[in-house]
Amino acid sequence: MQINGVGQYLTSQRFSVVKQVQLVYLLLALCVFLIPAKSAWTKPNPKALYTHSAAAGVFRVFYTTEGKHAVPADDKDGNHVPDRIDDILVQLKAADWFYQTQLKLTPPLMHSRYAQSDGIEVHIQHFDQGTGLAFDEPTKPNWYEGQSSSALTLKIKIGAQVDPRVSTTPAHELFHVYQYAYSPFKTKWFTEGMARWLEEPFSRQTGFAVPPSPSSCRELTGMAYNANGFFAKLAERQMLGVDQAAISNGYRQFVYSDGSPVIRNRSVFKFRPVKTWLERAAELGARESQRLGLVEGKWPESLQRSAQFDLTLCEALTKP
């Protein structure tokens, strides 16, 4: 039996009233507790953003054909996958083939940083600004074929408005994943400049625009996509006198849903310094990790994007 505030026992009548009042308070409290919970349950699950998936090799594409994030439902070949998704997948596969077989790059999942990851998820959704985004940290996987995998996955996002037949976004974002696998540096002239220059093999443009190269390493700080001229000029200098081998015939297997080729520029020899650049960045990253007492692949985001390494990184890339 409960005691009231002045130390007297409550009469049974008053006790029953108090019990009723307490019961009312308890019910109100439960309502307050349950209402937010119910609201949380009624919020759209992030996984509900995607209603379909398609896979090829290491790539798992999630998409929807309904609402704001929808891709066009056209399916000319009748394989029950929209042509847009087929085209995104084929550009990703072509870029992956090109980076590995023609540039001799180590695929991301073979690097120690991503050893625990089992694939690359590609999420197709509407972008208000920009057309794509690549992430450097492995994440928990999305729903896939009704199963929940415990292995981590890498992630790329591509705008639902992107048509790969006229856009190089899938290849561009995939190359960022390669860059992240090699080194911790995410200063924009290094990541965006190199990735923009490496769009050329997949570009429909007959004259791929390359701006003038900066005259010194110090001028690179603050640059981004427009640093592609630096890499074009650097490659030209480093490949001078090197055998200009042509691309292997394997490129012919990659075609879009309309029959057009994915890889259009077959002069691949000039892109081969990319392997050396990424390896030099990896060596520098390892040295800086040791100097700073940091675990490789676990740098704070602000440090990855810091300009403090710009000069040293540029010098590493440009040495003979």
Side-chain angles (χ1 to χ4, degrees), residues 160-230:
Q161 74 274 25
V162 169
D163 183 347
R165 296 172 300 176
V166 294
S167 170
T168 55
T169 295
H172 180 106
E173 299 305 331
L174 177 61
F175 184 67
H176 282 324
V177 178
Y178 273 80
Q179 290 174 310
Y180 300 155
Y182 271 90
S183 82
F185 304 111
K186 292 172 72 175
T187 185
K188 284 196 171 183
W189 68 264
F190 176 70
T191 56
E192 299 297 356
M194 195 188 305
R196 172 58 58 85
W197 175 64
L198 207 51
E199 291 175 16
E200 186 175 342
F202 312 96
S203 176
R204 181 167 284 191
Q205 299 177 29
T206 53
F208 194 76
V210 177
S213 172
S215 57
S216 71
C217 285
R218 294 188 183 279
E219 294 181 19
L220 284 169
T221 297
M223 298 183 74
Y225 300 92
N226 57 341
N228 62 334
F230 164 78

Side-chain angles (χ1 to χ4, degrees), residues 39-51 141-143:
S39 297
W41 296 335
T42 58
K43 288 180 181 177
N45 189 311
K47 297 176 184 178
L49 180 67
Y50 312 108
T51 56
N142 193 30
W143 168 85

Side-chain angles (χ1 to χ4, degrees), residues 105-120:
L105 302 184
T106 302
L109 298 178
M110 295 297 291
H111 285 261
S112 58
R113 181 181 187 185
Y114 298 142
Q116 303 304 313
S117 302
D118 73 344
I120 301 175

Side-chain angles (χ1 to χ4, degrees), residues 63-239:
Y63 65 96
T64 184
T65 55
E66 304 169 358
K68 178 180 179 180
H69 302 283
V71 298
D74 299 343
D75 181 20
K76 293 179 182 178
D77 61 1
N79 68 346
H80 305 293
V81 176
D83 296 334
R84 175 66 54 83
I85 301 302
D86 284 334
D87 289 340
I88 288 174
L89 269 171
V90 76
Q91 187 178 122
L92 287 168
K93 288 163 56 182
D96 206 33
W97 173 87
F98 182 80
Y99 301 150
Q100 291 182 41
T101 67
Q102 306 305 294
L103 305 188
K104 307 301 180 183
L105 302 184
T106 302
L109 298 178
M110 295 297 291
H111 285 261
S112 58
R113 181 181 187 185
Y114 298 142
Q116 303 304 313
S117 302
D118 73 344
I120 301 175
E121 288 190 356
V122 184
H123 294 198
I124 311 301
Q125 61 186 81
H126 174 78
F127 275 66
D128 289 325
Q129 292 184 332
T131 58
L133 187 64
F135 298 84
D136 65 316
E137 290 292 337
T139 62
K140 292 181 179 180
N142 193 30
W143 168 85
Y144 180 59
E145 297 300 334
Q147 301 297 321
S148 178
S149 170
S150 59
L152 297 176
T153 184
L154 305 181
K155 186 182 294 184
I156 292 172
K157 290 185 178 183
I158 295 175
Q161 74 274 25
V162 169
D163 183 347
R165 296 172 300 176
V166 294
S167 170
T168 55
T169 295
H172 180 106
E173 299 305 331
L174 177 61
F175 184 67
H176 282 324
V177 178
Y178 273 80
Q179 290 174 310
Y180 300 155
Y182 271 90
S183 82
F185 304 111
K186 292 172 72 175
T187 185
K188 284 196 171 183
W189 68 264
F190 176 70
T191 56
E192 299 297 356
M194 195 188 305
R196 172 58 58 85
W197 175 64
L198 207 51
E199 291 175 16
E200 186 175 342
F202 312 96
S203 176
R204 181 167 284 191
Q205 299 177 29
T206 53
F208 194 76
V210 177
S213 172
S215 57
S216 71
C217 285
R218 294 188 183 279
E219 294 181 19
L220 284 169
T221 297
M223 298 183 74
Y225 300 92
N226 57 341
N228 62 334
F230 164 78
F231 292 102
K233 194 67 176 179
L234 179 60
E236 181 182 321
R237 187 166 68 247
Q238 292 179 341
M239 292 300 291

